[in-house]
Amino acid sequence: IMGAIELLIAAPWLILAPLNFIKVLINKPSPMAHHFVAKRSEECQKDCEIARMWATMFWSLQFILSLSLVLEQKPRWMFICAKLFVGSILLYNFNNGVVKLPIAMAGGFELISALVLAALPASNKVKPE
């Protein structure tokens, strides 16, 4: 069951990260963006190269950390820390009007995921030496 928990926690990032990475690279706004971010935030990323650079780094890191969790690569604590920071930043930005409620809910999911991962032992699959 432990491997299933890690997969459930990592799955959103394994799907969303590559899609958003490509979206940022081609610099096209998402047709759904108005549901998730304030209009000024959407326009800011479109018009700012440094914002797109940071976005591509963020999406890359989320994908790599999620993949390493699913593949049971160490260190697991890096994934827990990333979830804590990402969740906190998403909630902070919701509080400041940068992102909307669905993103704040994702922030809450990130914080809960970090706590679950910290509280539960890593799965005990046998890995080849």
Side-chain angles (χ1 to χ4, degrees), residues 1 3-4 15 17 22 24 29 48-49 51 53 58 62-63 65-66 75 82 85 92-93 96 109 120:
I1 188 166
I15 296 166
I22 292 167
V24 172
C48 181
E49 292 175 3
M53 180 201 74
F58 168 79
Q62 290 302 320
F63 181 77
L65 287 171
S66 296
F85 280 101
Y92 173 81
N93 281 288
N96 289 319
F109 178 79
L120 298 175

PDB file of all heavy atoms in Angstrom, residues 1 3-4 15 17 22 24 29 48-49 51 53 58 62-63 65-66 75 82 85 92-93 96 109 120:
ATOM      1  N   ILE A   1       0.824  -1.204   0.000  1.00  0.00           N
ATOM      2  CA  ILE A   1       0.000   0.000   0.000  1.00  0.00           C
ATOM      3  C   ILE A   1       0.862   1.261   0.000  1.00  0.00           C
ATOM      4  O   ILE A   1       0.459   2.281  -0.529  1.00  0.00           O
ATOM      5  CB  ILE A   1      -0.978  -0.018   1.186  1.00  0.00           C
ATOM      6  CG1 ILE A   1      -1.949   1.147   1.032  1.00  0.00           C
ATOM      7  CG2 ILE A   1      -0.250   0.064   2.509  1.00  0.00           C
ATOM      8  CD1 ILE A   1      -3.161   1.080   1.906  1.00  0.00           C
ATOM      9  N   GLY A   3       3.589   1.995  -1.668  1.00  0.00           N
ATOM     10  CA  GLY A   3       3.922   2.448  -3.013  1.00  0.00           C
ATOM     11  C   GLY A   3       2.754   3.166  -3.663  1.00  0.00           C
ATOM     12  O   GLY A   3       2.933   4.120  -4.417  1.00  0.00           O
ATOM     13  N   ALA A   4       1.531   2.735  -3.339  1.00  0.00           N
ATOM     14  CA  ALA A   4       0.335   3.378  -3.886  1.00  0.00           C
ATOM     15  C   ALA A   4       0.163   4.786  -3.325  1.00  0.00           C
ATOM     16  O   ALA A   4      -0.258   5.693  -4.046  1.00  0.00           O
ATOM     17  CB  ALA A   4      -0.894   2.533  -3.576  1.00  0.00           C
ATOM     18  N   ILE A  15       1.862  14.483 -14.074  1.00  0.00           N
ATOM     19  CA  ILE A  15       1.025  14.856 -15.212  1.00  0.00           C
ATOM     20  C   ILE A  15       1.143  16.350 -15.519  1.00  0.00           C
ATOM     21  O   ILE A  15       1.385  16.750 -16.655  1.00  0.00           O
ATOM     22  CB  ILE A  15      -0.444  14.479 -14.935  1.00  0.00           C
ATOM     23  CG1 ILE A  15      -0.567  12.958 -14.803  1.00  0.00           C
ATOM     24  CG2 ILE A  15      -1.368  15.022 -16.028  1.00  0.00           C
ATOM     25  CD1 ILE A  15      -1.886  12.495 -14.215  1.00  0.00           C
ATOM     26  N   ALA A  17       3.341  18.733 -14.439  1.00  0.00           N
ATOM     27  CA  ALA A  17       4.660  19.354 -14.638  1.00  0.00           C
ATOM     28  C   ALA A  17       5.097  19.353 -16.100  1.00  0.00           C
ATOM     29  O   ALA A  17       5.463  20.414 -16.622  1.00  0.00           O
ATOM     30  CB  ALA A  17       5.704  18.703 -13.741  1.00  0.00           C
ATOM     31  N   ILE A  22       6.010  22.624 -20.960  1.00  0.00           N
ATOM     32  CA  ILE A  22       5.877  22.888 -22.401  1.00  0.00           C
ATOM     33  C   ILE A  22       5.095  24.173 -22.644  1.00  0.00           C
ATOM     34  O   ILE A  22       5.460  24.992 -23.482  1.00  0.00           O
ATOM     35  CB  ILE A  22       5.220  21.684 -23.111  1.00  0.00           C
ATOM     36  CG1 ILE A  22       6.175  20.493 -23.080  1.00  0.00           C
ATOM     37  CG2 ILE A  22       4.824  22.028 -24.544  1.00  0.00           C
ATOM     38  CD1 ILE A  22       5.539  19.170 -23.463  1.00  0.00           C
ATOM     39  N   VAL A  24       4.925  26.803 -20.778  1.00  0.00           N
ATOM     40  CA  VAL A  24       5.784  27.953 -20.487  1.00  0.00           C
ATOM     41  C   VAL A  24       6.812  28.144 -21.607  1.00  0.00           C
ATOM     42  O   VAL A  24       7.067  29.275 -22.032  1.00  0.00           O
ATOM     43  CB  VAL A  24       6.480  27.793 -19.114  1.00  0.00           C
ATOM     44  CG1 VAL A  24       7.520  28.878 -18.898  1.00  0.00           C
ATOM     45  CG2 VAL A  24       5.454  27.813 -17.989  1.00  0.00           C
ATOM     46  N   PRO A  29      -0.736  31.100 -23.126  1.00  0.00           N
ATOM     47  CA  PRO A  29      -1.558  31.019 -21.918  1.00  0.00           C
ATOM     48  C   PRO A  29      -2.489  29.815 -21.977  1.00  0.00           C
ATOM     49  O   PRO A  29      -2.946  29.423 -23.043  1.00  0.00           O
ATOM     50  CB  PRO A  29      -2.346  32.332 -21.924  1.00  0.00           C
ATOM     51  CG  PRO A  29      -2.319  32.803 -23.334  1.00  0.00           C
ATOM     52  CD  PRO A  29      -1.067  32.241 -23.959  1.00  0.00           C
ATOM     53  N   CYS A  48       7.262  38.269 -19.217  1.00  0.00           N
ATOM     54  CA  CYS A  48       8.520  38.355 -18.470  1.00  0.00           C
ATOM     55  C   CYS A  48       9.361  37.092 -18.634  1.00  0.00           C
ATOM     56  O   CYS A  48       8.968  36.011 -18.199  1.00  0.00           O
ATOM     57  CB  CYS A  48       8.209  38.599 -16.997  1.00  0.00           C
ATOM     58  SG  CYS A  48       9.673  38.755 -15.968  1.00  0.00           S
ATOM     59  N   GLU A  49      10.521  37.257 -19.240  1.00  0.00           N
ATOM     60  CA  GLU A  49      11.411  36.109 -19.469  1.00  0.00           C
ATOM     61  C   GLU A  49      11.913  35.498 -18.167  1.00  0.00           C
ATOM     62  O   GLU A  49      12.024  34.278 -18.067  1.00  0.00           O
ATOM     63  CB  GLU A  49      12.581  36.522 -20.351  1.00  0.00           C
ATOM     64  CG  GLU A  49      12.167  36.854 -21.767  1.00  0.00           C
ATOM     65  CD  GLU A  49      13.308  37.386 -22.605  1.00  0.00           C
ATOM     66  OE1 GLU A  49      14.456  37.457 -22.112  1.00  0.00           O
ATOM     67  OE2 GLU A  49      13.042  37.736 -23.762  1.00  0.00           O
ATOM     68  N   ALA A  51      10.392  35.409 -15.300  1.00  0.00           N
ATOM     69  CA  ALA A  51       9.291  34.644 -14.711  1.00  0.00           C
ATOM     70  C   ALA A  51       9.154  33.290 -15.408  1.00  0.00           C
ATOM     71  O   ALA A  51       8.926  32.269 -14.755  1.00  0.00           O
ATOM     72  CB  ALA A  51       7.984  35.429 -14.804  1.00  0.00           C
ATOM     73  N   MET A  53      11.591  31.685 -16.891  1.00  0.00           N
ATOM     74  CA  MET A  53      12.746  30.887 -16.492  1.00  0.00           C
ATOM     75  C   MET A  53      12.476  30.203 -15.152  1.00  0.00           C
ATOM     76  O   MET A  53      12.688  29.001 -15.004  1.00  0.00           O
ATOM     77  CB  MET A  53      14.001  31.755 -16.377  1.00  0.00           C
ATOM     78  CG  MET A  53      15.229  30.950 -15.951  1.00  0.00           C
ATOM     79  SD  MET A  53      16.555  31.936 -15.235  1.00  0.00           S
ATOM     80  CE  MET A  53      15.886  32.335 -13.635  1.00  0.00           C
ATOM     81  N   PHE A  58      10.820  25.506 -11.800  1.00  0.00           N
ATOM     82  CA  PHE A  58       9.868  24.957 -10.837  1.00  0.00           C
ATOM     83  C   PHE A  58       9.235  23.675 -11.364  1.00  0.00           C
ATOM     84  O   PHE A  58       9.220  22.657 -10.673  1.00  0.00           O
ATOM     85  CB  PHE A  58       8.776  25.996 -10.536  1.00  0.00           C
ATOM     86  CG  PHE A  58       7.613  25.421  -9.776  1.00  0.00           C
ATOM     87  CD1 PHE A  58       7.704  25.205  -8.409  1.00  0.00           C
ATOM     88  CD2 PHE A  58       6.434  25.076 -10.427  1.00  0.00           C
ATOM     89  CE1 PHE A  58       6.638  24.662  -7.706  1.00  0.00           C
ATOM     90  CE2 PHE A  58       5.366  24.537  -9.734  1.00  0.00           C
ATOM     91  CZ  PHE A  58       5.470  24.329  -8.369  1.00  0.00           C
ATOM     92  N   GLN A  62       9.653  19.857  -9.807  1.00  0.00           N
ATOM     93  CA  GLN A  62       8.508  19.086  -9.328  1.00  0.00           C
ATOM     94  C   GLN A  62       8.426  17.734 -10.019  1.00  0.00           C
ATOM     95  O   GLN A  62       8.136  16.714  -9.388  1.00  0.00           O
ATOM     96  CB  GLN A  62       7.208  19.870  -9.530  1.00  0.00           C
ATOM     97  CG  GLN A  62       7.075  21.058  -8.620  1.00  0.00           C
ATOM     98  CD  GLN A  62       7.150  20.669  -7.146  1.00  0.00           C
ATOM     99  OE1 GLN A  62       6.608  19.661  -6.705  1.00  0.00           O
ATOM    100  NE2 GLN A  62       7.839  21.478  -6.371  1.00  0.00           N
ATOM    101  N   PHE A  63       8.696  17.705 -11.318  1.00  0.00           N
ATOM    102  CA  PHE A  63       8.655  16.441 -12.054  1.00  0.00           C
ATOM    103  C   PHE A  63       9.747  15.492 -11.562  1.00  0.00           C
ATOM    104  O   PHE A  63       9.493  14.320 -11.285  1.00  0.00           O
ATOM    105  CB  PHE A  63       8.797  16.682 -13.556  1.00  0.00           C
ATOM    106  CG  PHE A  63       8.731  15.416 -14.359  1.00  0.00           C
ATOM    107  CD1 PHE A  63       7.511  14.809 -14.603  1.00  0.00           C
ATOM    108  CD2 PHE A  63       9.886  14.822 -14.841  1.00  0.00           C
ATOM    109  CE1 PHE A  63       7.436  13.628 -15.329  1.00  0.00           C
ATOM    110  CE2 PHE A  63       9.820  13.647 -15.568  1.00  0.00           C
ATOM    111  CZ  PHE A  63       8.599  13.048 -15.810  1.00  0.00           C
ATOM    112  N   LEU A  65      11.399  15.470  -8.669  1.00  0.00           N
ATOM    113  CA  LEU A  65      11.148  15.009  -7.302  1.00  0.00           C
ATOM    114  C   LEU A  65      10.018  13.980  -7.264  1.00  0.00           C
ATOM    115  O   LEU A  65      10.107  12.974  -6.549  1.00  0.00           O
ATOM    116  CB  LEU A  65      10.818  16.191  -6.398  1.00  0.00           C
ATOM    117  CG  LEU A  65      11.991  17.097  -6.046  1.00  0.00           C
ATOM    118  CD1 LEU A  65      11.505  18.344  -5.323  1.00  0.00           C
ATOM    119  CD2 LEU A  65      13.020  16.355  -5.209  1.00  0.00           C
ATOM    120  N   SER A  66       8.965  14.199  -8.044  1.00  0.00           N
ATOM    121  CA  SER A  66       7.853  13.243  -8.069  1.00  0.00           C
ATOM    122  C   SER A  66       8.284  11.908  -8.646  1.00  0.00           C
ATOM    123  O   SER A  66       7.932  10.852  -8.119  1.00  0.00           O
ATOM    124  CB  SER A  66       6.696  13.819  -8.890  1.00  0.00           C
ATOM    125  OG  SER A  66       6.210  14.976  -8.267  1.00  0.00           O
ATOM    126  N   PRO A  75      17.250  11.040  -1.670  1.00  0.00           N
ATOM    127  CA  PRO A  75      16.669  11.120  -0.334  1.00  0.00           C
ATOM    128  C   PRO A  75      15.209  11.570  -0.373  1.00  0.00           C
ATOM    129  O   PRO A  75      14.851  12.546  -1.014  1.00  0.00           O
ATOM    130  CB  PRO A  75      17.526  12.134   0.384  1.00  0.00           C
ATOM    131  CG  PRO A  75      18.038  13.024  -0.683  1.00  0.00           C
ATOM    132  CD  PRO A  75      18.123  12.187  -1.938  1.00  0.00           C
ATOM    133  N   ALA A  82      10.235  19.860  -0.340  1.00  0.00           N
ATOM    134  CA  ALA A  82       9.673  20.542  -1.511  1.00  0.00           C
ATOM    135  C   ALA A  82       8.170  20.715  -1.339  1.00  0.00           C
ATOM    136  O   ALA A  82       7.618  21.786  -1.628  1.00  0.00           O
ATOM    137  CB  ALA A  82       9.986  19.767  -2.785  1.00  0.00           C
ATOM    138  N   PHE A  85       7.458  23.528   1.216  1.00  0.00           N
ATOM    139  CA  PHE A  85       7.709  24.858   0.675  1.00  0.00           C
ATOM    140  C   PHE A  85       6.685  25.229  -0.394  1.00  0.00           C
ATOM    141  O   PHE A  85       6.148  26.335  -0.384  1.00  0.00           O
ATOM    142  CB  PHE A  85       9.135  24.970   0.123  1.00  0.00           C
ATOM    143  CG  PHE A  85      10.153  25.201   1.188  1.00  0.00           C
ATOM    144  CD1 PHE A  85      10.923  24.152   1.652  1.00  0.00           C
ATOM    145  CD2 PHE A  85      10.344  26.449   1.740  1.00  0.00           C
ATOM    146  CE1 PHE A  85      11.867  24.348   2.651  1.00  0.00           C
ATOM    147  CE2 PHE A  85      11.270  26.664   2.740  1.00  0.00           C
ATOM    148  CZ  PHE A  85      12.032  25.612   3.194  1.00  0.00           C
ATOM    149  N   TYR A  92       0.396  31.212   0.690  1.00  0.00           N
ATOM    150  CA  TYR A  92       0.798  32.614   0.858  1.00  0.00           C
ATOM    151  C   TYR A  92       0.318  33.453  -0.330  1.00  0.00           C
ATOM    152  O   TYR A  92      -0.226  34.539  -0.164  1.00  0.00           O
ATOM    153  CB  TYR A  92       2.325  32.694   0.993  1.00  0.00           C
ATOM    154  CG  TYR A  92       2.855  34.100   0.997  1.00  0.00           C
ATOM    155  CD1 TYR A  92       2.829  34.869   2.164  1.00  0.00           C
ATOM    156  CD2 TYR A  92       3.382  34.670  -0.158  1.00  0.00           C
ATOM    157  CE1 TYR A  92       3.314  36.166   2.168  1.00  0.00           C
ATOM    158  CE2 TYR A  92       3.869  35.959  -0.158  1.00  0.00           C
ATOM    159  CZ  TYR A  92       3.827  36.710   1.003  1.00  0.00           C
ATOM    160  OH  TYR A  92       4.308  37.994   1.003  1.00  0.00           O
ATOM    161  N   ASN A  93       0.511  32.935  -1.543  1.00  0.00           N
ATOM    162  CA  ASN A  93       0.107  33.684  -2.731  1.00  0.00           C
ATOM    163  C   ASN A  93      -1.415  33.735  -2.888  1.00  0.00           C
ATOM    164  O   ASN A  93      -1.940  34.709  -3.428  1.00  0.00           O
ATOM    165  CB  ASN A  93       0.781  33.117  -3.977  1.00  0.00           C
ATOM    166  CG  ASN A  93       2.208  33.596  -4.066  1.00  0.00           C
ATOM    167  OD1 ASN A  93       2.454  34.757  -4.353  1.00  0.00           O
ATOM    168  ND2 ASN A  93       3.153  32.718  -3.786  1.00  0.00           N
ATOM    169  N   ASN A  96      -2.483  36.578  -0.827  1.00  0.00           N
ATOM    170  CA  ASN A  96      -2.135  37.871  -1.426  1.00  0.00           C
ATOM    171  C   ASN A  96      -2.819  38.114  -2.771  1.00  0.00           C
ATOM    172  O   ASN A  96      -2.474  39.061  -3.471  1.00  0.00           O
ATOM    173  CB  ASN A  96      -0.620  37.988  -1.579  1.00  0.00           C
ATOM    174  CG  ASN A  96       0.056  38.156  -0.234  1.00  0.00           C
ATOM    175  OD1 ASN A  96      -0.427  38.880   0.623  1.00  0.00           O
ATOM    176  ND2 ASN A  96       1.155  37.455  -0.035  1.00  0.00           N
ATOM    177  N   PHE A 109      -3.184  20.462  -0.204  1.00  0.00           N
ATOM    178  CA  PHE A 109      -2.855  19.082  -0.544  1.00  0.00           C
ATOM    179  C   PHE A 109      -1.352  18.837  -0.415  1.00  0.00           C
ATOM    180  O   PHE A 109      -0.921  17.796   0.090  1.00  0.00           O
ATOM    181  CB  PHE A 109      -3.334  18.764  -1.966  1.00  0.00           C
ATOM    182  CG  PHE A 109      -2.989  17.371  -2.424  1.00  0.00           C
ATOM    183  CD1 PHE A 109      -3.738  16.286  -2.005  1.00  0.00           C
ATOM    184  CD2 PHE A 109      -1.913  17.149  -3.266  1.00  0.00           C
ATOM    185  CE1 PHE A 109      -3.422  14.994  -2.424  1.00  0.00           C
ATOM    186  CE2 PHE A 109      -1.588  15.860  -3.696  1.00  0.00           C
ATOM    187  CZ  PHE A 109      -2.337  14.782  -3.268  1.00  0.00           C
ATOM    188  N   LEU A 120       4.668   8.427   7.607  1.00  0.00           N
ATOM    189  CA  LEU A 120       4.665   7.025   7.224  1.00  0.00           C
ATOM    190  C   LEU A 120       6.047   6.574   6.777  1.00  0.00           C
ATOM    191  O   LEU A 120       6.784   7.340   6.149  1.00  0.00           O
ATOM    192  CB  LEU A 120       3.660   6.794   6.092  1.00  0.00           C
ATOM    193  CG  LEU A 120       2.202   7.100   6.434  1.00  0.00           C
ATOM    194  CD1 LEU A 120       1.338   6.949   5.204  1.00  0.00           C
ATOM    195  CD2 LEU A 120       1.709   6.207   7.561  1.00  0.00           C
TER     196      LEU A 120
END
